[in-house]
Amino acid sequence: MTAQMRSGPAARDPEFRGIDPPALDRVIRQLQDAQNAIQGWLNGHRPPPGVPATGYRQADQVALWAADQLGMLTRRYNYAITHPDGGGVDVPPVHAPSPKPSPGGNPGAGGGVQPGRPGATAPRTPSPGTPGTPGRRHPVRPPRHTAPPTSRGAGDLGNFPTRQAAARAARADALAVAAAVRDGDPVPDGVWKHLRANADDPDYTEALYERLGPASAAALVKAAHGDAALLQALRQALGTSSHHLAMDTAWLRAFLAEADREGVRPVAVQVLTGADLSPRTRDALAGLHQKAGG
């Protein structure tokens, strides 16, 4: 790693800050293991009545700290693998870390928001392991090939400090889109503002398109009414999300079918073919006899 940094960007810029994605992946896994071990001990060693719980509370605070760090580190990792310096890195979908430990907590499962048409649901991302379950690993996976250190994710993290914060904002926007489509109202200006500001955010766009599903995503294309700036934001956001969501042939076919029903299939095709899609999604699109321009 040291030799790589000396011969890489740091050799040209002493102020360079970078992330080695495989190394960060190992740190995330180790921290997840530590959090699981602590939470497993806490679950199995409740302090008996009358015994001071000081040590228990201290261990619980460490577990909460680890959960906060996982949200931040996973966000940095997602930026690094989605926007590497000098080219894209194809990786399997990256799922959320275990949420903060809480008594009786149950992480909710994601689902698609429907725009008023039956059968229009988003592909589900496998739920992460229950927090505090020993042996469960953080489901982030490293790139399939060794990539040089990248500056993305090493500094500014966009408009959200953690992956969870980005996902909350995206889910709220997806619900606003679904409500507007259902009621025949314009998509709120605030949603378009958020989309344009976060179109390159891997966590925001992943949660947005996961929640929208292909049908609502097509309805959003229609709601742009041909506005060039909004369509560019949709192209960028869809391309970013494709590096983390399973936008396979079935997803793309459903997206285009809904766009056809909405009368915007040519525009939807332009959004897809102009997006910087992941290699997996690009191959799936080619299977539908379309071609991504990147």
Side-chain angles (χ1 to χ4, degrees), residues 66 78 89 113 125 142 275 277 280:
N78 285 349
V89 178
V113 173
T125 301
L277 300 174
R280 296 186 312 277

Side-chain angles (χ1 to χ4, degrees), residues 10 37 50 70 78 89 118 139 201 230 288:
L70 283 169
N78 285 349
V89 178
D201 188 315
L230 298 183
L288 297 177

Side-chain angles (χ1 to χ4, degrees), residues 8-169:
R12 300 184 297 272
D13 180 6
E15 300 299 321
F16 176 80
R17 291 180 296 174
I19 287 177
D20 179 343
L24 180 56
D25 173 69
R26 289 192 293 272
V27 170
I28 291 172
R29 289 172 181 271
Q30 290 167 359
L31 185 57
Q32 181 73 75
D33 286 344
Q35 183 201 19
N36 287 339
I38 294 170
Q39 196 63 40
W41 184 90
L42 292 173
N43 291 341
H45 298 82
R46 308 294 297 187
V51 175
T54 304
Y56 185 93
R57 286 194 297 269
Q58 290 174 341
D60 189 52
Q61 287 299 314
V62 173
L64 290 171
W65 173 86
D68 285 337
Q69 298 307 303
L70 283 169
M72 177 271 293
L73 291 173
T74 303
R75 184 153 172 76
R76 293 190 183 282
Y77 178 85
N78 285 349
Y79 261 103
I81 64 173
T82 308
H83 304 293
D85 297 333
V89 178
D90 185 28
V91 295
V94 180
H95 309 310
S98 299
K100 292 183 181 180
S102 59
N106 182 25
V113 173
Q114 303 186 26
R117 295 186 182 275
T121 58
R124 290 182 180 271
T125 301
S127 299
T130 303
T133 303
R136 292 291 180 90
R137 286 190 171 273
H138 190 280
V140 171
R141 298 176 179 87
R144 290 189 179 126
H145 61 80
T146 301
T150 176
S151 62
R152 292 304 300 269
D156 180 62
L157 285 177
N159 296 313
F160 309 102
T162 65
R163 174 180 171 87
Q164 294 92 327
R168 282 194 298 270

Side-chain angles (χ1 to χ4, degrees), residues 59 92 186 219 232:
Q232 174 56 28

Side-chain angles (χ1 to χ4, degrees), residues 236-261:
Q236 186 178 9
L238 192 146
T240 301
S241 68
S242 73
H243 291 268
H244 300 273
L245 280 180
M247 288 184 170
D248 54 12
T249 301
W251 195 100
L252 296 171
R253 186 178 288 117
F255 172 75
L256 291 173
E258 182 65 21
D260 197 26
R261 285 191 289 269

Side-chain angles (χ1 to χ4, degrees), residues 156-237:
D156 180 62
L157 285 177
N159 296 313
F160 309 102
T162 65
R163 174 180 171 87
Q164 294 92 327
R168 282 194 298 270
R171 286 192 290 267
D173 286 344
L175 290 172
V177 170
V181 171
R182 182 188 63 240
D183 299 337
D185 296 330
V187 171
D189 290 341
V191 171
W192 289 118
K193 180 180 179 180
H194 297 162
L195 184 61
R196 293 174 68 175
N198 301 297
D200 69 338
D201 188 315
D203 299 322
Y204 175 88
T205 56
E206 177 189 3
L208 180 72
Y209 277 96
E210 179 184 22
R211 195 74 172 180
L212 286 175
S216 284
L220 194 56
V221 172
K222 180 181 180 180
H225 297 297
D227 185 288
L230 298 183
L231 291 175
Q232 174 56 28
L234 290 176
R235 273 191 291 271
Q236 186 178 9

Side-chain angles (χ1 to χ4, degrees), residues 275-294:
D276 183 16
L277 300 174
S278 70
R280 296 186 312 277
T281 305
R282 192 180 303 120
D283 290 344
L285 186 61
L288 297 177
H289 307 293
Q290 307 291 341
K291 185 177 180 181

